[in-house]
Amino acid sequence: MSEDFKVPTMLSIKQTAKTTGVAECYIRQLVAENEICFVKAGRKYLINLEKFVEYLNTPQTA
């Protein structure tokens, strides 16, 4: 039974900031406001990189 599924790239807030060039404090703010896709693993927040990039590429309404 071979199912095709893609495992998302999960990065810490620090790794996400380094990879995307977005400030850590802004990513933390988005996590606090539940604006982006993340999971909490112990004390760490892991960001779904693909969903985060999708969020950044989506126009936001003020």
Side-chain angles (χ1 to χ4, degrees), residues 4-62:
D4 292 328
F5 62 92
K6 185 176 183 324
V7 177
T9 305
M10 303 300 285
L11 300 176
S12 68
I13 291 175
K14 186 174 278 201
Q15 291 169 322
T16 303
K18 191 173 183 177
T19 302
T20 61
V22 176
E24 280 184 53
C25 60
Y26 181 63
I27 297 171
R28 289 184 201 285
Q29 178 184 341
L30 292 174
V31 167
E33 295 171 355
N34 225 11
E35 287 286 321
I36 58 175
C37 188
F38 68 91
V39 293
K40 188 171 181 187
R43 292 176 47 186
K44 237 181 199 176
Y45 290 96
L46 298 175
I47 312 299
N48 180 322
L49 183 62
E50 291 82 7
K51 296 265 185 177
F52 183 62
V53 170
E54 184 179 311
Y55 173 84
L56 292 176
N57 287 322
T58 303
Q60 305 300 314
T61 56

